Each structure stands twice: as structure tokens, then as C-alpha cells.
Amino acid sequence: MTASAPEANLLSQPLHLPNGSILRNRLAKAAMSEVLGTYENRPTLKLVELYRRWSVSGIGLLLTGNVMIDRRALGEPGNVVIEDESDLPLLKQWANAATGQGAAIWVQLNHPGKQSTKGLNKSNLAPSAVPFREDMAALFETPREATTDEIEEIIQRFGRSAAICKKAGFSGVQIHGAHGYLINQFLSPHHNRRTDEWGGSAQKRRRFVLAVYAEIRRQVGADFPVGIKLNSADFQRGGFTEEESMATIHALAEAGIDLIEISGGTYEAPAMSGTLQETKKASTVAREAYFLEFAEKVRASTQVPLMVTGGFRSAAAMNTALRSGALDVVGLARLLAIDPDAPAALLRGQDSPQRVRPITTGIKQVDQMGVMEIFWYTLQLKRIANGGDPRPDESGLWAFVKSVMKSGWGTFRTRRLRA
């Protein structure tokens, strides 16, 4: 009796996207907040170094962290903003850091809407003037309702930023439609209480994201990849539901989107940090991926390429998920912040020696906020960008204190520079 041949490592297989472009394998680095821009919101050589380090690992797709489309609407101090061509030379270096090694690099384009800390912007807008929950009101101000003219301008800005990304040599763009930022706010009945053409029904709430996609596609053409990061649900009372997400996915697939990354949660209900995953059933834990069950539902009704991010730990689970056909791309984020060389091992069918662990400060109110873990991982990215290595055992409390101090100083400097 002969032994059966080992199953192929599906992670190493290329993926053909609907527009004809090809990803060299099925591993993607999902977006993480780098905040490695200047306080004038320009890119830096640190981003070039960070993305070069990831690209040499052999990964197929790199998605940048939040790149904002408007200097008046920042999510954090140190965000890169692409609204004109003034930084084109450095943007080209950033793009080439990945493409020169054979990886695709897509810029994640975003507008924070209401999800920006107090004092950073002169004011924050949103679909409706809905405040944050009471325990977060000290950090986030109540936004004002966006006017129709402002909505139209934001749509045009998304398109303009995408066109600049194409000119700079990036491989594609990803629209950030998840995690409580502006597009997610328009989709959510909790945040969007408008009664005009931009709200009042699920179909009208979808109109904004479809308009953003259409404008980007108009400005970049059919051959440039455009993807989106979308919540499976907000996990928030009165928020964006799975049923609404499914309908939005179908609308985007029909419009011609190239790749949909499935995620979930907001700063007020941070599923993306793993906080809500403690209550997941045992079968979900065994399969590792947080949003795989929803991806299976999506796959049953559409063949649009899907990327699932969150929870994956082992090469075996990643291959099992790919073999099921429920997804096409495995997204990794936090693992690549503590082990930037992990893709090289995974593409050999081996696991990374590092394991993502819960990051806590010991302060309950802080640990329940989605931004806490973001602070910790951002520090690790900074170390890699400086040519060093991450510190997987770093204290969560120390990282939080250091990041809050830096964020406060960054907010002050950003406001002074724009005064």
C-alpha cells in the first residue's frame, strides 16, 4: 500500500483577479495603522523600509494602512494623506519597495468621518450627528452632519487619490468600508439617520459606497485593481447587519469590484482586535478565522474574490480554508507586526514561531477600547521601519502610555502646523 501524496500548499498558488491582474500567491498583509507619515501628513522613507521588509518575505499582496484623502479629515496624527501630486517622488519609492520584489501593493484609501480623536481636526463630519457611546465621549466629539455638497466632494476626492496612486506605481487601491470609518458610517442605520438620497433605507445607505467605487473606477480605468474592506457586521445594536452586508457585497460584485476583504466591528465594538471573539463557538475557534462562516455564506451566492482577515494562525488552517473554496486570499495583520518574515515560512507550509496574543494593560476601560491594541502593534511597525525587529513581549501598559503621549503631542503639532 503506497502512502498518499501530501496535499499541495494552496497558499503558494497565484490568483487571477476579475480585471486580469495576478497576485503571485494567496497571502496578503492586511492594513494596519502605521502612522509613519510626518505631522504634515507626508510619506517618509520609514514606509519604504517597512514595506520592503515585508515584500522580501515573498508575500503576494501588501495593503497599506489608512491613507487619508483629505488633510482636513485625519484619523490619527502621522497619517499619510494623498490629495495631490506633491509627494509623487516618495510615493513612487514606496510603491517600488514592494513591486520591485514582485509583490503587489494596494493603497487603502480612507476618510475617518466621526472616528477621529478630539482636537485633531477642526471638526468631524458624519452622515448624521450621532455621538459616541458615553464612555468614549471624552475621546471622540459628536460630529456634525455632512452636507450634500461635502458628500459629493468626498466622493471626488476618493477618485482623485486613487488616480494619484496609479500614477505613483501602486498596484491597486482598497476602499476602507469597515471598522466604523465614514463609509461604514453611511452603511450603518445607527450612524446614518438621514432621510435624503443618502439614507433612510438600506439601498440609499449603500449609495455612498457605490458612488465612491464608481468614481474611483472612472478615474483609474478598468485595468487597475480596486478592492474594498467591508464589515460582515458591526456587532453594535442598530448597526450594519450581516443581511445588509450581503446585499452590499452583491451590489459591489455586480459593479465590478476586484476583491472584497471581510472583517467586522468598530472602535465601539472592536471585533477586528479580537475582543469579541472570546465568545465564539468551539468550531469557529478550531477553524481559526473569525469571519470564515460569513465568507461561506457569501461564496454560496457570488464568485467575487474574497479575502478573510482575522484569527488565522497556522498554515494548516489557512490551507483548509482555501481548499473549502470559501475564500481566495488569507489576510494576515498582527502576525506580520511581530514576525515580518512569517510569509516565507507559511509559503513553505511551515508555521511562524510567533503567536499573536491578547494585548492588555490591566485597565478594564482601556482594554475594552479597539484603539488599545492598535497602539501596541503600531509601535512594533515603527521598530521594523527603523531597521530593527519587533518586541513580541513588550508590555501593553507601557505601549499604551507611550502611544497616548505621542498621540497627544502629534495632535498638538498637527494643529499648530495647520494653523
Side-chain angles (χ1 to χ4, degrees):
M1 186 174 181
T2 58
S4 59
E7 292 185 296
N9 183 6
L10 300 185
L11 291 170
S12 62
Q13 292 188 351
L15 175 66
H16 294 253
L17 296 176
N19 71 347
S21 59
I22 301 172
L23 302 180
R24 64 178 174 181
N25 58 55
R26 304 302 182 94
L27 277 177
K29 179 237 140 212
M32 289 180 281
S33 178
E34 307 114 352
V35 291
L36 289 171
T38 69
Y39 291 140
E40 288 127 328
N41 310 111
R42 301 187 181 281
T44 64
L45 289 172
K46 290 182 179 181
L47 287 163
V48 176
E49 173 60 30
L50 177 62
Y51 280 79
R52 183 178 289 116
R53 175 76 182 272
W54 277 323
S55 64
V56 298
S57 71
I59 199 163
L61 173 62
L62 292 164
L63 291 159
T64 74
N66 281 336
V67 169
M68 298 300 172
I69 60 168
D70 189 342
R71 277 186 170 78
R72 301 168 301 177
L74 305 176
E76 305 149 285
N79 281 149
V80 172
V81 175
I82 299 177
E83 60 180 4
D84 57 41
E85 297 184 9
S86 59
D87 295 315
L88 199 58
L90 197 44
L91 290 173
K92 288 181 177 180
Q93 288 188 60
W94 186 5
N96 187 62
T99 59
Q101 302 291 335
I105 179 169
W106 296 8
V107 176
Q108 186 188 71
L109 297 176
N110 193 14
H111 188 297
K114 66 188 284 186
Q115 203 159 260
S116 180
T117 52
K118 281 185 176 180
L120 181 58
N121 303 315
K122 288 185 178 179
S123 66
N124 295 330
L125 57 75
S128 303
V130 178
F132 274 76
R133 69 187 194 213
E134 187 176 348
D135 63 325
M136 297 182 74
L139 292 176
F140 300 94
E141 65 185 24
T142 299
R144 60 180 178 80
E145 183 174 301
T147 67
T148 300
D149 286 346
E150 286 173 326
I151 292 170
E152 295 287 356
E153 183 196 352
I154 291 168
I155 291 168
Q156 293 167 11
R157 281 179 171 271
F158 269 102
R160 173 63 174 157
S161 296
I164 296 167
C165 290
K166 181 179 180 180
K167 187 172 183 178
F170 288 96
S171 313
V173 294
Q174 182 191 59
I175 303 164
H176 199 338
H179 299 173
Y181 293 108
L182 184 65
I183 289 175
N184 185 214
Q185 291 162 32
F186 267 94
L187 289 167
S188 165
H190 171 73
H191 297 290
N192 184 351
R193 304 180 186 181
R194 303 176 74 99
T195 56
D196 61 3
E197 66 268 35
W198 300 104
S201 68
Q203 185 175 11
K204 288 184 176 180
R205 288 192 298 272
R206 286 196 294 274
R207 186 165 176 250
F208 182 69
V209 66
L210 291 171
V212 167
Y213 170 74
E215 180 62 19
I216 289 175
R217 183 60 75 196
R218 185 186 73 81
Q219 294 208 35
V220 301
D223 62 344
F224 190 69
V226 180
I228 190 168
K229 186 168 195 165
L230 194 69
N231 274 3
S232 60
D234 289 349
F235 305 106
Q236 183 176 35
R237 187 182 298 276
F240 188 55
T241 66
E242 279 198 4
E243 293 73 21
E244 290 170 315
S245 180
M246 188 75 74
T248 303
I249 288 170
H250 286 162
L252 287 163
E254 186 176 345
I257 202 88
D258 290 301
L259 180 68
I260 296 177
E261 180 186 1
I262 296 172
S263 191
T266 68
Y267 277 12
E268 295 180 273
M272 67 279 194
S273 70
T275 305
L276 296 186
Q277 305 308 323
E278 297 169 3
T279 59
K280 284 287 185 183
K281 56 189 179 182
S283 60
T284 300
V285 173
R287 299 168 79 194
E288 297 185 358
Y290 297 155
F291 306 107
L292 187 54
E293 188 174 326
F294 180 72
E296 290 170 340
K297 295 177 184 177
V298 175
R299 177 58 79 233
S301 59
T302 178
Q303 291 303 304
V304 65
L306 298 176
M307 171 176 163
V308 175
T309 301
F312 280 116
R313 299 186 302 276
S314 68
M318 295 174 200
N319 271 283
T320 298
L322 287 168
R323 201 165 283 115
S324 76
L327 68 154
D328 305 282
V329 179
V330 171
L332 301 174
R334 293 178 291 173
L335 177 62
L336 298 188
I338 57 176
D339 181 6
D341 305 313
L346 292 167
L347 290 168
R348 294 192 301 268
Q350 301 170 351
D351 294 342
S352 165
Q354 297 295 337
R355 284 289 179 268
V356 172
R357 62 182 176 89
I359 306 299
T360 60
T361 64
I363 305 171
K364 184 178 180 180
Q365 290 175 314
V366 172
D367 293 341
Q368 290 177 336
M369 296 171 61
V371 294
M372 204 294 295
E373 284 205 349
I374 292 174
F375 287 154
W376 189 90
Y377 283 100
T378 298
L379 277 184
Q380 308 314 314
L381 300 186
K382 183 177 180 181
R383 291 199 171 90
I384 301 169
N386 285 330
D389 291 312
R391 296 179 187 171
D393 298 323
E394 184 162 21
S395 160
L397 180 59
W398 165 241
F400 176 73
V401 171
K402 185 176 181 179
S403 297
V404 167
M405 292 174 64
K406 186 176 187 296
S407 180
W409 171 247
T411 296
F412 171 75
R413 289 289 298 146
T414 300
R415 289 298 299 269
R416 284 291 299 271
L417 288 167
R418 292 189 300 178

